[in-house]
Amino acid sequence: MAAPDARARTVVFVDGVRTPFGKAGPKGIYAETRADDLVVKVIRELLRRHPELPPERIDEVAVAATTQTGDQGLTIGRTAALLAGLPKSVPGYAIDRMCAGAMTAVTTAASGIAFGAYDVVIAGGVEHMGRHPMGEGVDPNPRFLSDKIVDPSALVMGSTAENLHDRFPAITKERADAYAAASQAKYADAVKNGKIGPELVPVATRSTEHGWGLATADEPPRPGTTVEDLAKLKTPFRPHGRVTAGNAAGLNDGATGCILADEDTARELGLPVAMRLVGYSFLGVEPEVMGVGPVPATEKALKRAGLTIDDIGLFEINEAFAVQVLAFLDHFGIADDDPRVNQWGGAIAVGHPLASSGVRLMTQLARQFAERPDVRYGITTMCIGIGMGGTVIWENPSWNGESK
């Protein structure tokens, strides 16, 4: 009997979609919509867009949620797969790495593909922060504080962002506000130019007050936001602080999903190849400055891939807080307004439904690759609560070989 081929297979990102993102709370578009139904919409849309993929060829469904309770509990990858009508032979599971849940669903499933355990996987994430606020039901071990394992501020994400301002005084509130206003403007331009929209899945909504509706656009963005507007906002995490609702991502609801495959399988089935996975890394940092996590995670991922930051032609950086993005840019010597960075805006504008955001970044990068054959490599990166960072490096299959 011949020994199995031990070489890792090439993992590709086929396609990604997402629901419009909503504002969390009783007035948000998804106030009376279940989280698992948002995931079902995403799975069904992926199958609708790719009839060439036989549902029985899906080997796994990996769905992330940070607060795994209620309609985000019960092994949501499996339950959503059943609700979406996938064959009962298709397994599924839930995963949690806070903000990087969907990113981890992708990297974990991709590792299974590379190893040969899977050929095709659906991976994504959901967060209904209106139904399940961040930290709902958690019981942090008192030793975290009594044994001084973490600083008390480490358990409040906004406070960690204030700590990051302390660590990097060159990142002022004015600079953070300017970055936030630019994110809103870039997002608005992307919508106007049709860059944001094709990846959205319309979702039927129901409201006791307003009846039935249809969510077709993101709810959080504030087009026309100015630096002057942002300067007037309160700093809820510290008196006279620098972090506001305007230079941070909001509390949001939404779901994302993507199809991953072995490249040979994708070619066999006629599935498109939007990106190739090059490598990834997750790394821990001090929890009280969790926003700096993308820096060492990116350095580690680049080193393992044999690349440098200069090889990266496009960046999709999750904007949990403006200060966190700016710390990354400063470390790598990248200008605040570098056109390679979040060219269609980011989470400050569109929202950040925690565990879902990683696949939003990937979906946008894949669509940007298709427009940029001059770019070979791009990264998706994000900070993660309790002091971590995650980075995934992707290769553009449309690269024409004439530039990096």
Side-chain angles (χ1 to χ4, degrees), residues 11 55 67 80 133 140 159 168 183 191 293-295 312 315 328 352 360 372 384-385 404:
V11 181
T67 307
S159 296
F168 302 111
S183 180
V191 172
V295 170
I312 305 303
F315 296 83
F328 179 95
H352 175 30
R360 178 189 68 82
R372 296 288 304 276
I384 309 165
K404 290 183 180 179

Side-chain angles (χ1 to χ4, degrees), residues 72-98:
Q72 291 183 178
L74 201 62
T75 312
I76 192 169
R78 171 62 170 171
T79 54
L82 292 170
L83 290 165
L86 292 180
K88 291 182 173 61
S89 59
V90 178
Y93 65 97
I95 197 163
D96 171 30
R97 203 198 294 260
M98 298 191 77

Side-chain angles (χ1 to χ4, degrees), residues 166-385:
D166 292 342
R167 177 166 291 195
F168 302 111
I171 306 177
T172 62
K173 180 180 184 298
E174 291 72 22
R175 189 175 160 200
D177 285 349
Y179 180 88
S183 180
Q184 294 279 0
K186 288 190 288 185
Y187 172 87
D189 285 344
V191 172
K192 179 181 177 182
N193 296 323
K195 307 299 184 183
I196 301 288
E199 78 282 19
L200 298 183
V201 185
V203 178
T205 61
R206 176 185 167 278
S207 164
T208 302
E209 183 177 353
H210 301 293
W212 290 96
L214 189 66
T216 60
D218 295 311
E219 189 177 26
R222 298 179 179 87
T225 295
T226 65
V227 173
E228 291 74 22
D229 296 330
L230 297 177
K232 301 172 185 176
L233 298 178
K234 296 179 180 179
T235 58
F237 302 105
R238 184 186 295 181
H240 310 292
R242 293 140 299 191
V243 179
T244 71
N247 59 33
L251 306 179
N252 307 108
D253 308 328
T256 61
C258 68
I259 298 172
L260 306 170
D262 159 60
E263 185 162 9
D264 290 341
T265 302
R267 304 294 187 192
E268 170 204 338
L269 296 173
L271 293 166
V273 173
M275 300 193 291
R276 294 189 186 96
L277 179 62
V278 175
Y280 65 88
S281 176
F282 293 93
L283 207 67
V285 297
E286 302 121 301
E288 57 269 24
V289 285
M290 66 96 190
V292 80
V295 170
T298 298
E299 290 180 327
K300 183 178 179 181
L302 290 170
K303 182 177 180 180
R304 291 195 168 193
L307 301 172
T308 72
I309 200 70
D310 294 331
D311 292 312
I312 305 303
L314 288 169
F315 296 83
E316 278 295 318
I317 307 172
N318 192 48
E319 297 173 353
F321 301 95
V323 62
Q324 155 251 318
V325 180
L326 293 170
F328 179 95
L329 299 181
D330 282 0
H331 178 84
F332 288 108
I334 300 170
D336 294 6
D337 59 352
D338 191 303
R340 298 173 297 168
V341 177
N342 292 7
Q343 60 179 5
W344 296 347
I348 288 172
V350 73
H352 175 30
L354 302 183
S356 70
S357 288
V359 167
R360 178 189 68 82
L361 301 175
M362 295 171 191
T363 300
Q364 291 196 179
L365 180 62
R367 297 185 62 241
Q368 292 164 13
F369 271 169
E371 297 182 355
R372 296 288 304 276
D374 59 309
V375 171
R376 184 173 185 181
Y377 297 110
I379 66 170
T380 54
T381 186
M382 61 201 315
C383 61
I384 309 165

